[in-house]
């Protein structure tokens, strides 16, 4: 906990982008190189936390990962997320098997998020694998990367290809499905990663929550607008925290817009560890962050009070999952504050 606030990191990964894992040499090598470059970029001039991971060396050791999260930081609970990017990587950029194994290394504190792709795997196989990940591996959410390559993309409002996934999620008791939006990792079409397709899916499935990662950068205003109008759409913030050290003013504007228009109940803390393993820096950042007065006065952005920080630190994501976060940390003996 941080100053009595529960810290639920909703995005950590067990990435495998080694040469041996690459399927498509062009996209795979571009992603491998780009991830390393971006991690180094966000350390520019010593402003960000030091010690990024060399992604080409292989997935993180689970003991090391647990120490980084729970030994060296105030993180209480985390979700290990699959990255189902299959066009470039044989088992996905973040294989479900590795994510599951990491979650199993500390099942009380690490939740498992599965991942499938109905276009690359085929819809019947994706539905079958989705069911297996929930029933056998205990997946509490499912992640989707809907643009596999420059000529392979699908959309959340596709009634034939996507709607069976949302029906299956509800059947399996899943409360939240999550999407990588914006931020193409290689040669995908950026327009294939726009968040606009979430609107009709969220409208047609009001009992299912939809999480949009990275604020859909560069479609930030669109993401905020969508989250402001659909009660079941959440904004998940990995990379916001990483980029803050490099572009603090830009990130303050993004945060301010999201809080002003979508509200404090829609934002979720996540770090994208372990590209950046020293996650305590992000925890300290959020706990101590203030919205500059000139931005409050000039743009109408709200102040960052404790209630907002507690919601973003974990209460919002837990609600999206249908998880009683206070009860969970109490069972773990983590000294949660009174409700």
């Amino acid at each position: 906990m941080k100053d009595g606030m529960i810290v639920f990191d909703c995005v950590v990964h067990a990435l495998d982008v080694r040469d041996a894992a690459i399927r498509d040499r062009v996209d795979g090598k571009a992603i491998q190189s780009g991830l390393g470059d971006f991690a180094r970029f966000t350390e520019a001039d010593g402003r960000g936390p030091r010690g990024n991971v060399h992604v080409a060396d292989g997935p993180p050791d689970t003991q090391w990962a647990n120490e980084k999260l729970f030994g060296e930081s105030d993180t209480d609970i985390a979700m290990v997320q699959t990255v189902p990017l299959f066009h470039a990587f044989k088992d996905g950029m973040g294989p479900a098997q590795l994510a599951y194994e990491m979650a199993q290394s500390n099942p009380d504190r690490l939740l498992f998020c599965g991942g499938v792709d109905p276009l690359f795997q085929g819809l019947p196989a994706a539905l079958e694998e989705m069911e297996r990940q929930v029933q056998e591996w205990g997946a509490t959410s499912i992640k989707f990367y809907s643009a596999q390559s420059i000529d392979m993309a699908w959309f959340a409002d596709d009634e034939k290809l996507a709607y069976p996934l949302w029906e299956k999620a509800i059947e399996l008791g899943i409360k939240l499905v999550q999407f990588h939006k914006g931020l193409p990792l290689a040669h995908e079409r950026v327009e294939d990663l726009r968040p606009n397709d979430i609107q009709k899916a969220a409208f047609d499935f009001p009992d299912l929550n939809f999480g949009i990662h990275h604020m859909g950068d560069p479609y930030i205003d669109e993401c905020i607008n969508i989250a402001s109008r659909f009660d079941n759409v959440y904004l998940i913030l990995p990379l916001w925290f990483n980029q803050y050290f490099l572009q603090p003013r830009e990130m303050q504007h993004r945060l301010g817009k999201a809080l002003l228009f979508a509200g404090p109940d829609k934002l979720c803390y996540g770090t994208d560890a372990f590209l950046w393993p020293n996650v305590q820096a992000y925890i300290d950042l959020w706990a101590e962050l203030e919205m500059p007065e000139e931005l409050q006065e000039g743009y109408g952005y709200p102040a960052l009070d404790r209630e907002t920080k507690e919601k973003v630190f974990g209460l919002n994501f837990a609600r999206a999952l249908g998880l009683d976060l206070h009860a969970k940390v109490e069972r773990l003996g983590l000294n949660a504050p009174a409700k």
Side-chain angles (χ1 to χ4, degrees), residues 310-328:
E310 285 186 294
K311 288 179 177 181
V312 175
F313 254 149
L315 296 179
N316 291 341
F317 192 70
R319 183 177 66 255
L321 283 175
L323 173 68
D324 186 334
L325 190 58
H326 285 100
K328 184 171 181 64

Side-chain angles (χ1 to χ4, degrees), residues 40 74 111 149 216:
R40 287 186 290 274
D74 294 318
L111 303 179
S149 69

Side-chain angles (χ1 to χ4, degrees), residues 1 240 301 339:
M1 304 185 79
W240 184 94
Y301 300 156
K339 296 181 182 179

Side-chain angles (χ1 to χ4, degrees), residues 200-222:
K200 190 172 187 298
F203 180 81
D204 287 342
F205 292 87
D207 296 329
L208 188 63
N209 295 319
F210 294 78
I212 302 175
H213 286 239
H214 315 304
M215 284 193 185
D217 189 0
Y219 303 108
I220 295 160
D221 290 342
E222 288 92 331

